[in-house]
């Protein structure tokens, strides 16, 4: 992966801000235009919290949400974006009426095409891609096609399309900063001039850390019938329900292995996962001379979000500073494949190539939705995914249309598998 793709000197259309007196980064002469895809989710809310802390540095151009109309209304009142998008036309009409009543001139639209339009809005140079799951694929691709700096919190877009997504970034002069805490940590630990060749940079391995989620110390048998409430009770991070379940199964780490492969040009053998229950070391880079560089911090997504918004400058994130004396011990252990059967599926999908990663992601989304709706046991999530991965499905990884065909076929196969394993 080209360093021109991942490590620009400044955001597209905006030079890097110079440090102010005393070392604090100065606000740019003109605010950087920002679009937030998935504004009402955890990442979106935290992104806007950082914007709020830096008046004059950012201008919110567009906000999108699925169904949380009340939260989006409050965000529009505060940040006055030019464009807002909801999934449902009726809800969009209601939002538009409420905003007009409050004297807010935000244009409101609805549906997938409107979300894609928001991603390419000409007044934004930064796009926070935070729509969860495959639904974020097309808007995220659109932001790349418009040469934006893509702040990638939607790992599924890269997992599904891999080289296609990287190609779009290069072709259109877009840049990318990963927002997942693990990949953001690796990004910070690699040389500033990293050009996509780990060996040339002297890198031996990438070490992704995982908290182990709420079931780290429990046996597979004891969690087979875990409830959605238990699975979503993460010990360290505040996340949405789908991502919380992925953490409990460690499918989130499986997807992150695939993401690291594409982001950093790492072979499967150059990626290792370590369980780190304190969630203080967010990931590490091991060099050929024996050095290991690690990025540490509180388990708070505002840190990587602020890094992406301000890159290459560092800006205040509102995060409590890390007290290592209070933290105490830092522990690491190998993940148990019996307890976390979803994790090895990452290497299986990478070995299979083609659309296997897209199939893996689609099957997981269907299985997790069924679990959250109490139609599938927790212990059967991995079985559904394995069953779908084993099937020959249509689709071609060389085009977005082919990837979407594989995604749709995998969802149909997963729905059938869920019925077979239904509670």
């Amino acid at each position: 992966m080209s360093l021109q793709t991942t490590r620009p000197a400044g955001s597209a259309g905006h030079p890097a801000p110079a440090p102010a007196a005393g070392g604090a980064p100065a606000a740019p002469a003109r605010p950087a235009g920002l679009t937030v895809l998935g504004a009402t989710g955890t990442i979106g809310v935290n992104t806007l919290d950082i914007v709020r802390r830096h008046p004059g540095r950012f201008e919110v151009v567009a906000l999108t949400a699925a169904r949380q109309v009340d939260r989006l209304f409050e965000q529009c009142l505060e940040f006055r974006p030019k464009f807002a998008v909801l999934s449902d036309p009726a809800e969009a009409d209601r939002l538009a009426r409420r905003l007009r009543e409050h004297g807010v001139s935000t244009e409101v639209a609805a549906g997938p095409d409107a979300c894609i339009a928001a991603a390419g809005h000409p007044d934004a140079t930064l796009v926070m891609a935070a729509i969860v799951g495959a639904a974020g694929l097309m808007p995220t691709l659109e932001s790349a096609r418009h040469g934006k700096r893509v702040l990638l919190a939607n790992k599924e877009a890269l997992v599904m399309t891999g080289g296609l997504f990287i190609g779009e970034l290069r072709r259109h002069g877009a840049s990318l900063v990963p927002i997942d805490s693990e990949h953001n940590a690796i990004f910070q630990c690699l040389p500033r001039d990293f050009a996509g060749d780990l060996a040339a940079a002297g890198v031996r391995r990438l070490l992704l850390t995982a908290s182990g989620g709420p079931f780290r110390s429990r046996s597979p048998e004891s969690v087979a019938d875990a409830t959605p409430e238990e699975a979503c009770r993460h010990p360290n991070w505040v996340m949405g329900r789908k991502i919380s379940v992925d953490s409990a199964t460690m499918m989130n780490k499986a997807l992150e292995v695939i993401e690291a492969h594409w982001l950093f040009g790492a072979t499967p053998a150059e990626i290792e996962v370590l369980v780190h229950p304190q969630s203080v070391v967010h990931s590490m880079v091991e060099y050929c001379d024996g050095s290991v560089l690690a990025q540490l911090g509180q388990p708070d997504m505002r840190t990587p979000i602020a890094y992406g918004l301000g890159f290459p400058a560092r800006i205040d994130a509102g995060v409590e500073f890390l007290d290592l004396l209070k933290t105490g011990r830092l522990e690491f252990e190998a993940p148990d494949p019996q307890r976390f059967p979803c994790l090895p599926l990452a290497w299986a999908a990478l070995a299979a190539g083609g659309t296997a990663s897209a199939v893996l992601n689609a099957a997981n989304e269907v299985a997790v939705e069924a679990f959250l709706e109490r139609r599938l046991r927790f212990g059967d999530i991995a079985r559904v995914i394995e069953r779908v991965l084993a099937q020959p499905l249509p689709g071609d990884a060389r085009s977005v249309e082919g990837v979407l065909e594989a995604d749709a076929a995998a969802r149909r196969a997963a729905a059938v598998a869920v019925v077979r394993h239904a509670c």
Side-chain angles (χ1 to χ4, degrees):
M1 186 174 178
S2 166
L3 87 162
Q4 300 301 323
T5 302
T6 56
R7 306 189 74 83
S11 65
H14 285 269
R30 291 178 52 203
L34 171 68
T35 288
V36 184
L37 305 174
T40 59
T42 303
I43 297 294
V45 168
N46 282 328
T47 299
L48 293 175
D49 178 70
I50 293 167
V51 170
R52 187 181 295 115
R53 294 171 185 275
H54 296 275
R57 190 179 194 96
F58 305 100
E59 176 191 5
V60 178
V61 173
L63 299 174
T64 81
R67 299 179 185 84
Q68 295 194 57
V69 62
D70 290 335
R71 177 172 284 179
L72 186 60
F73 169 71
E74 294 297 333
Q75 291 174 340
C76 289
L77 278 184
E78 179 178 2
F79 295 101
R80 306 292 172 116
K82 297 176 180 178
F83 195 48
V85 180
L86 282 163
S87 297
D88 182 75
E91 293 285 13
D93 288 343
R94 185 161 71 92
L95 174 63
R97 287 195 302 272
R98 292 175 68 187
L99 290 174
R100 283 196 301 271
E101 290 168 359
H102 286 76
V104 178
S105 60
T106 298
E107 179 186 352
V108 181
D113 289 344
C115 190
I116 291 171
H121 198 289
D123 293 341
T125 57
L126 308 175
V127 176
M128 174 58 73
I131 298 173
V132 176
L137 172 60
M138 296 310 295
T140 304
L141 276 172
E142 187 73 4
S143 64
R145 289 167 177 164
H146 280 77
K148 310 297 187 184
R149 180 198 290 180
V150 183
L151 310 181
L152 189 66
N154 172 282
K155 63 173 67 70
E156 292 86 356
L158 189 54
V159 167
M160 291 174 68
T161 59
L164 288 172
F165 183 77
I166 299 302
E168 291 297 283
L169 288 167
R170 290 175 176 156
R171 190 158 30 252
H172 298 283
S175 60
L176 184 150
V177 178
I179 299 301
D180 269 348
S181 61
E182 296 81 3
H183 303 93
N184 189 272
I186 290 170
F187 187 84
Q188 294 189 47
C189 292
L190 286 170
R192 179 60 62 85
D193 62 353
F194 177 66
D197 186 333
L198 292 178
V203 174
R204 181 172 178 267
R205 286 187 304 170
L206 306 180
L207 303 171
L208 294 171
T209 57
S211 69
F215 304 141
R216 179 181 65 86
S217 58
R218 289 175 56 177
S219 68
E221 296 77 19
S222 71
V223 300
D225 291 306
T227 66
E229 290 75 20
E230 291 175 308
C232 291
R233 200 173 297 135
H234 197 282
N236 301 331
W237 294 93
V238 177
M239 304 181 293
R241 282 163 61 81
K242 191 268 182 184
I243 300 174
S244 294
V245 175
D246 283 350
S247 178
T249 64
M250 273 186 85
M251 176 54 81
N252 70 323
K253 212 54 52 178
L255 297 178
E256 287 167 12
V257 167
I258 298 169
E259 189 179 4
H261 164 70
W262 290 111
L263 280 172
F264 307 115
T267 67
E270 291 172 327
I271 306 170
E272 184 173 343
V273 172
L274 295 175
V275 174
H276 169 53
Q278 289 82 18
S279 295
V280 168
V281 177
H282 298 306
S283 274
M284 296 171 278
V285 175
E286 182 182 67
Y287 286 86
C288 61
D289 63 359
S291 300
V292 178
L293 301 188
Q295 188 266 335
L296 287 71
Q298 296 286 1
D300 190 318
M301 283 304 300
R302 289 178 297 175
T303 295
I305 292 169
Y307 188 79
L309 287 170
F311 181 80
R314 291 182 183 268
I315 62 176
D316 173 44
V319 175
E320 180 183 355
F321 292 105
L322 182 65
D323 185 337
L324 286 172
L325 293 177
K326 186 183 298 183
T327 300
R329 296 174 59 184
L330 300 177
E331 302 168 289
F332 301 92
E333 60 192 53
D336 180 356
Q338 301 302 315
R339 182 178 288 114
F340 301 114
C342 285
L343 181 58
L345 297 179
W347 284 270
L350 285 173
T355 60
S357 293
V359 169
L360 172 75
N361 177 70
N364 177 64
E365 287 191 15
V366 171
V368 170
E369 180 180 17
F371 167 68
L372 288 171
E373 294 175 354
R374 305 180 194 274
R375 294 184 287 112
L376 185 70
R377 295 169 65 246
F378 182 84
D380 287 331
I381 292 175
R383 295 185 181 93
V384 165
I385 300 167
E386 289 172 340
R387 182 181 291 273
V388 176
L389 273 175
Q391 298 179 33
L393 297 172
D396 187 337
R398 292 172 295 184
S399 71
V400 174
E401 294 76 17
V403 170
L404 293 175
E405 181 183 11
D407 175 85
R411 290 174 190 277
R412 291 191 295 270
V416 172
V418 164
V419 172
R420 292 177 66 109
H421 290 280
C423 296

